[in-house]
Amino acid sequence: MNFKTTIGLIILLVALASYIYFFEIRGNDDEAGPTDPTIYGPEYGEYDLVALEIEGPQGTAHFARTDETLTQEWEMLAPTPVPAEAIDQVRVNGAVTRLGYLKPSRVITHVTNLAQYGLNPPQLTVTLIISNGQKIILYTGHETPVKDNRYLRLAGDEQTVYLVFSFAINELHRLLNELPLALTPVAP
């Protein structure tokens, strides 16, 4: 390679790296929110969430903590009442824990068309009841093209859309579509 070609390739590489940094990694300042954004305030602990309701086109699933056990296990109230001992507690606790630590990877502000994110109408409406009486309503939308994030918005704010890790929201879809029943032990 000659000297001019090498310099040209270096300039092209620096320009490409700058573009990626300023427009893809750091984001556009008009769309980006705070550097450490939260969706609904401080994180809550594992036992702070006392009820979870998931509504979608397929139906509704409603879970609540019981007061009958020390660990306050989950029971299902809808679509069919299922007692705590028949619920896969690990699946429900996992979904709840992920919601408690939900942090957006990106915040899009000044949104005017919620439909482009799958939020009008939303794919799921998720209602969280915290032990202090706080009620949080989330609306979930489409997955991003790479399927690693999903769009989400908080009730009462139609101009802000959050990108959150898909696994947390996909597990809510799974709770709605596949009842979290505990496995029955197989007799030897």
Side-chain angles (χ1 to χ4, degrees), residues 46-160:
E46 183 177 349
Y47 295 103
D48 292 337
L49 183 67
V50 294
L52 168 67
E53 185 170 322
I54 308 164
E55 296 178 53
Q58 313 88 328
T60 299
H62 188 177
F63 301 90
R65 287 201 184 269
T66 66
D67 292 331
E68 301 159 6
T69 63
L70 282 174
T71 56
Q72 297 177 324
E73 293 179 324
W74 291 97
E75 62 184 345
M76 185 162 38
L77 305 176
T80 304
V82 179
E85 58 272 3
I87 292 288
D88 183 348
Q89 297 296 322
V90 173
R91 265 187 67 198
V92 178
N93 272 326
V96 168
T97 301
R98 280 186 280 290
L99 288 174
Y101 296 101
L102 197 60
K103 296 265 187 199
S105 59
R106 186 158 185 182
V107 180
I108 304 168
T109 58
H110 310 294
V111 173
T112 57
N113 181 7
L114 290 171
Q116 75 184 33
Y117 302 105
L119 291 164
N120 188 14
Q123 291 186 350
L124 291 180
T125 300
V126 181
T127 305
L128 311 170
I129 306 293
I130 311 299
S131 58
N132 65 6
Q134 181 184 8
K135 185 177 190 179
I136 300 167
I137 301 174
L138 306 170
Y139 301 105
T140 70
H142 294 310
E143 283 186 305
T144 57
V146 217
K147 301 202 181 290
D148 60 342
N149 284 291
R150 276 190 179 269
Y151 299 106
L152 179 134
R153 83 172 180 86
L154 189 60
D157 185 356
E158 294 188 4
Q159 293 188 336
T160 305

Side-chain angles (χ1 to χ4, degrees), residues 1-13:
M1 250 200 238
N2 69 28
F3 181 71
K4 288 182 181 180
T5 304
T6 304
I7 295 296
L9 288 174
I10 290 172
I11 291 172
L12 182 63
L13 181 63

Side-chain angles (χ1 to χ4, degrees), residues 11-51:
I11 291 172
L12 182 63
L13 181 63
V14 168
L16 181 61
S18 297
Y19 174 82
I20 290 171
Y21 174 75
F22 286 108
F23 293 102
E24 298 296 325
I25 296 173
R26 200 177 100 198
N28 185 342
D29 288 339
D30 292 339
E31 291 184 356
T35 57
D36 187 22
T38 60
I39 296 173
Y40 40 78
E43 300 166 351
Y44 55 82
E46 183 177 349
Y47 295 103
D48 292 337
L49 183 67
V50 294

